[in-house]
């Protein structure tokens, strides 16, 4: 166990991300005191049952009071309200950070409320699952994943370093970029993929030619992977799309252009164009596996024995 | 181990599907003799090394000669040529089947070559992975998955029953439908999902704003799941799109219409429309899990400890 990185940590919001932080901070001894906050009494009660923190509050100001590091883990549409609520309670020299999947909008919402003498270091751990709430978190969520920091040019360098050490303590790799670039990168690697997953599941649910029962039974041909993504939290994702509108629309336009070209290739029987694209896309997957961001097990290791050369003659 | 269902089984093509069949047939004792065929000498040699069959051939007619059941597991664009090649060697009363992901076209290609007195029962196991070749197969691939049979109205009922028992012996559930309906169901549950996965990976590979290295490093936010699907075999999938053109184009048109509506909702900030869709899509996933076609582990159980309520206070 390392030395604590901060004395008092406040976790505002204790869902998948907040509770994963609570677990890894406890496991790695990254803070001496964890103050947990959630909006609804039932979530606070559940966090207490799970023993996620050292103190519990429903008012964000109560949790943030006296904290050295405050991490806001709520849907991005609520960031401004939360920043406003904690502002009066922040002590001088405190660091405020967040985990929101969108950064330009979060900076725009939160920065105006951050008092002088308090440091603001926006962050986004690129890690998650389709589940929500305090039960869904686990200490390993951030391990070997990337956390992106988007500090403003004027942000105190020591504060950025503290937040970096905090995330490294959680098992993550850390990289810094501008909020605008972050939002473009995430639009293509996360937001548009979620949008098209939600979309195809929606399309499949409303066909006259194919019943919902058929869609479910025969989903192992690819569809079920999309439904996992499309089972992600509606509030979180509504907020992501509303708050990263421009980058999402730009990437979506590119996706649609490319899809039109594919559609034309199918219509005209251009097998070479299809074969060529389908060959190039494999290189990206190899790169992701080499970058340590994916398992090599076929079908995500979902099928027993998958991929193990298993001499049949036994 | 059950009684063999057939005496002599010929597997024409010994890639992922053919070699999975070889393994489960051996394991379950479904045939007395497995005759293995593949086009290239190196694939035949590898199948021999793996001990997948009892005899080996590179000429499909040699493998099919005297077989009671012949299963053709080659890219759908090659089905006609293979049917023509095996036709002269088929014995009266033999059953010819296949595993192609498209059925109308396969019926159109193969049926004209099937001699009188030989039964033709087209089939499609809705199960697979992104890997190919004889090393990729495993005996459990078909377990608890669906195999769809698309016999013609005039097909011998006893032959359909034999093929049904064969697939049940492989661990599959079996359902019968028309080739046309099959192609529509698979267009939405498998073919269009693959197409949009290939497409988004292609889009991501060609952006000016975001580098390929960024796409790979930060892929854990959703993108990597699409790359698995987009790593599937280019030949197989080119053939699927060329041979299921009409149903794919029809379903793709529906997908695009729906995507345009989503795009408009994002542009105009219609959070309710987004929230409503994102809520409805969760029901489909629940249905798939209840139908036994998906694991409940978050992130496909890819993350250690995922989802297990893990009291942090230890
Ligand atoms: N899920 C992912 O995969 C993922 C990955 C990376 C980043 N993120 C980001 O992490 C943040 C939290 O996501 P999550 O998955 O942890 O969500 P979650 O599991 O749904 O938890 C949300 C937390 O925020 C609170 N909350 C919800 N609405 C609120 C509001 N209007 N005002 C104040 N508090 C509110 C909830 O409180 P109650 O339960 O008490 O209502 C709960 O404590 C989001 O900004 C998201 O973009 C998510
Ligand atoms: N992969 C899946 O997820 C999946 C799922 C369900 C159904 N299917 C269907 O199963 C069939 C086989 O797919 P697979 O994944 O098993 O493919 P695979 O692993 O690539 O194996 C293909 C087999 O077909 C042979 N072959 C390739 N091109 C040929 C040609 N032009 N003429 C004759 N033989 C040829 C190959 O022989 P050589 O290696 O000797 O060249 C090999 O034995 C396809 O029709 C596909 O639609 C696939």
């Amino acid at each position: 166990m390392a030395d604590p990185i901060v004395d008092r940590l406040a976790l505002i919001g204790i869902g998948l991300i907040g509770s994963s932080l609570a677990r890894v901070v406890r496991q790695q001894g990254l803070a001496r005191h964890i103050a947990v906050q959630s909006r609804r009494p039932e979530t606070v009660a559940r966090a207490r049952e799970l023993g996620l923190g050292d103190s519990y509050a429903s008012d964000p100001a109560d949790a943030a009071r006296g904290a050295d590091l405050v991490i806001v883990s709520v849907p991005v549409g609520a960031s401004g309200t939360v920043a406003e609520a904690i502002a009066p309670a922040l002590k001088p020299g405190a660091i405020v950070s967040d985990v929101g999947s969108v950064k330009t909008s979060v900076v725009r919402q939160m920065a105006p409320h951050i008092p002088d003498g308090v440091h603001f270091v926006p962050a986004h751990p690129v890690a998650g699952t389709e589940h929500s709430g305090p039960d869904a978190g686990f200490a390993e969520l951030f391990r070997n994943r990337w956390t992106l920091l988007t500090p403003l040019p004027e942000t105190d360098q020591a504060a950025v370093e503290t937040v970096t050490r905090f995330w490294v303590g959680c098992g993550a790799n850390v990289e810094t970029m501008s909020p605008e670039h972050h939002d473009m990168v995430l639009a293509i690697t996360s937001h548009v993929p979620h949008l098209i997953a939600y979309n195809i599941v929606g399309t499949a649910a409303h066909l006259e030619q194919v019943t919902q029962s058929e869609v479910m039974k025969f989903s192992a041909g690819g569809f079920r992977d999309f439904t996992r993504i499309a089972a992600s939290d509606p509030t979180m994702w509504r907020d992501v799309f509303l708050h990263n509108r421009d980058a999402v629309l730009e990437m979506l336009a590119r996706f649609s252009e490319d899809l039109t070209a594919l559609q034309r290739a199918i219509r005209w029987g251009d097998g070479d164009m299809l074969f060529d694209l389908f060959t190039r896309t494999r290189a990206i997957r190899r790169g992701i596996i080499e970058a340590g961001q994916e398992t090599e097990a076929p079908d995500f290791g979902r099928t027993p024995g998958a991929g193990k050369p298993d001499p049949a003659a036994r």
Side-chain angles (χ1 to χ4, degrees), chain A:
Chain A
M1 218 187 259
D3 278 348
I5 288 165
V6 293
D7 260 355
R8 195 180 168 91
L9 170 71
L11 296 174
I12 309 298
I14 196 75
L16 171 69
I17 302 295
S19 76
S20 294
L21 280 173
R23 288 173 168 98
V24 65
V25 165
R26 181 66 55 98
Q27 187 192 70
Q28 300 297 321
L30 303 177
R32 288 210 168 79
H33 181 102
I34 305 175
V36 163
Q37 184 275 348
S38 202
R39 179 183 52 164
R40 288 177 299 160
E42 53 272 36
T43 309
V44 176
R46 185 62 188 145
R48 196 191 291 270
E49 270 170 39
L50 291 167
L52 294 174
D54 300 298
S55 62
Y56 300 89
S58 58
D59 180 345
D62 287 344
R65 190 160 296 121
D68 302 290
L69 174 60
V70 180
I71 302 189
V72 177
S73 309
V74 303
V76 293
S79 335
T81 315
V82 167
E84 193 175 1
I86 60 175
L90 294 170
K91 74 173 186 190
I95 302 172
V96 174
S97 188
D98 79 310
V99 300
S101 307
V102 175
K103 297 268 66 86
T104 319
S105 163
V106 164
V107 169
R108 200 164 42 219
Q109 291 179 69
M110 292 183 74
H113 299 292
I114 307 291
D116 284 348
V118 170
H119 311 295
F120 179 39
V121 184
H124 174 212
V126 184
T129 77
E130 69 278 25
H131 293 178
S132 307
D135 283 291
F138 49 99
E140 300 80 8
L141 179 61
F142 310 112
R143 190 186 290 163
N144 198 29
R145 296 286 163 260
W146 289 85
T147 293
L148 301 176
L149 307 187
T150 64
L152 305 181
E154 64 272 22
T155 308
D156 181 56
Q157 197 47 41
V160 175
E161 273 159 29
T162 300
V163 175
T164 301
R165 282 193 299 126
F166 176 83
W167 280 104
V168 169
C170 294
N173 309 310
V174 175
E175 198 160 299
T176 293
M177 57 177 66
S178 73
E180 294 73 22
H181 188 62
H182 168 279
D183 288 356
M184 204 63 97
V185 171
L186 270 290
I188 190 68
T189 57
S190 178
H191 306 171
V192 170
H194 273 78
L195 196 72
I196 64 183
Y198 278 121
N199 192 62
I200 186 131
V201 178
T203 302
H206 292 103
L207 296 169
E208 309 78 44
Q209 304 99 322
V210 181
T211 67
Q212 288 213 21
S213 150
E214 288 176 318
V215 166
M216 292 170 186
K217 276 158 78 178
F218 311 132
S219 61
F223 184 74
R224 63 176 177 181
D225 294 351
F226 290 75
T227 65
R228 184 182 73 79
I229 296 183
S232 301
D233 187 63
T235 305
M236 167 186 161
W237 283 98
R238 176 201 61 198
D239 281 11
V240 165
F241 294 115
L242 295 179
H243 289 269
N244 196 21
R245 188 185 69 175
D246 295 347
V248 166
L249 290 178
E250 179 168 342
M251 291 301 165
L252 195 53
R254 295 291 293 261
F255 171 86
S256 295
E257 269 174 38
D258 292 348
L259 192 61
T260 301
L262 262 184
Q263 188 175 1
R264 180 175 298 135
I266 293 173
R267 191 178 300 285
W268 295 101
D270 185 349
D272 291 344
M273 190 277 206
L274 299 175
F275 187 85
D276 185 51
L277 171 68
F278 300 171
T279 306
R280 282 183 286 117
T281 49
R282 302 183 116 179
I284 297 252
R285 178 150 183 97
R286 275 195 298 277
I288 291 176
I289 291 170
E290 282 158 22
Q293 296 305 307
E294 180 57 299
T295 159
E296 268 193 272
D299 210 12
F300 308 109
R302 190 153 39 187
T303 326
K308 293 189 209 106
D310 136 62
R314 274 185 297 177

